[in-house]
Amino acid sequence: PGTGMFSREFKAWHLNYFLDVNTWVEKSIRKKFPPRSQKNLKFYLTTRTKCDPIPTQSCNFVFSWDTFVFFTQQHVQQYLHDIKRILIPGGYVFIQYADCHYDKELDLANRGYWNYNTKTAMTQMIKDEGYEVVEMHQFRPGASYAIFQKPGKQNPVVYNINEIILD
């Protein structure tokens, strides 16, 4: 969750799990929620890609922004594998990643700030782990994302792609 920039966007979910390598994250994010919501926030520390503390098939949505851009492709692949266990069948994953087919993201990777990745490699990793790609695009330069789904139909949330057609 890092600084929790998007954490309040998920307050509609009854229970939110936060997984990070930093101990300071919990205090920072808890400040963003009112007292009555505190019992629905669960924080866990991890090392590398371990999602072990999060119960099996307990999540219908996993979100990560400004994290996977720093991971090697091997690290991304392992996380995708570990996330599969915590998702319910039909659960979605939405992550930002570095698509170095684009100049801005390639520049960040060449400077050693982000790790090198591409849409081609990311698509293959997602498929290799048994997920179905739903959408892969870029909001703006430096903001490439992938939305994918674990096969199954237990998720009550359905993702639809809506596009506005301009004449």
Side-chain angles (χ1 to χ4, degrees):
T3 62
M5 178 170 55
F6 296 106
S7 61
R8 288 186 49 120
E9 303 304 322
F10 304 107
K11 62 185 174 193
W13 268 265
H14 175 70
L15 181 61
N16 283 269
Y17 294 105
F18 296 92
L19 185 70
D20 205 292
V21 296
N22 297 304
T23 57
W24 57 266
V25 167
E26 181 174 356
K27 185 176 180 181
S28 173
I29 293 174
R30 283 196 182 277
K31 290 178 185 177
K32 298 176 186 296
F33 288 86
R36 69 182 182 283
S37 299
Q38 296 296 317
K39 66 179 183 265
N40 298 326
L41 308 176
K42 305 292 181 195
F43 292 85
Y44 299 104
L45 288 176
T46 186
T47 56
R48 301 288 296 163
T49 66
K50 300 274 187 225
C51 299
D52 294 349
I54 299 175
T56 299
Q57 293 190 6
S58 62
C59 299
N60 63 348
F61 183 64
V62 171
F63 176 84
S64 179
W65 194 262
D66 203 27
T67 302
F68 279 77
V69 295
F70 299 106
F71 296 161
T72 65
Q73 289 180 355
Q74 181 181 8
H75 196 176
V76 169
Q77 181 91 36
Q78 186 60 50
Y79 244 122
L80 297 181
H81 181 79
D82 290 353
I83 288 170
K84 212 171 13 176
R85 180 190 62 78
I86 65 169
L87 279 175
I88 64 171
Y92 294 95
V93 181
F94 182 123
I95 61 171
Q96 178 195 19
Y97 71 100
D99 183 356
C100 293
H101 287 135
Y102 293 102
D103 290 341
K104 181 170 184 171
E105 291 163 72
L106 179 59
D107 179 57
L108 290 165
N110 284 337
R111 289 190 292 140
Y113 184 62
W114 283 1
N115 266 299
Y116 184 86
N117 202 350
T118 64
K119 182 178 183 178
T120 306
M122 192 70 201
T123 301
Q124 191 61 53
M125 287 184 274
I126 290 167
K127 289 180 177 180
D128 286 350
E129 287 302 324
Y131 295 103
E132 298 168 8
V133 174
V134 174
E135 182 177 343
M136 294 179 81
H137 290 294
Q138 188 181 59
F139 288 121
R140 58 177 164 63
S144 296
Y145 66 91
I147 301 171
F148 47 99
Q149 184 178 28
K150 180 179 176 178
K153 300 203 183 298
Q154 288 183 359
N155 195 354
V157 176
V158 177
Y159 178 81
N160 288 315
I161 299 172
N162 293 315
E163 294 185 32
I164 298 172
I165 300 172
L166 300 175
D167 289 329

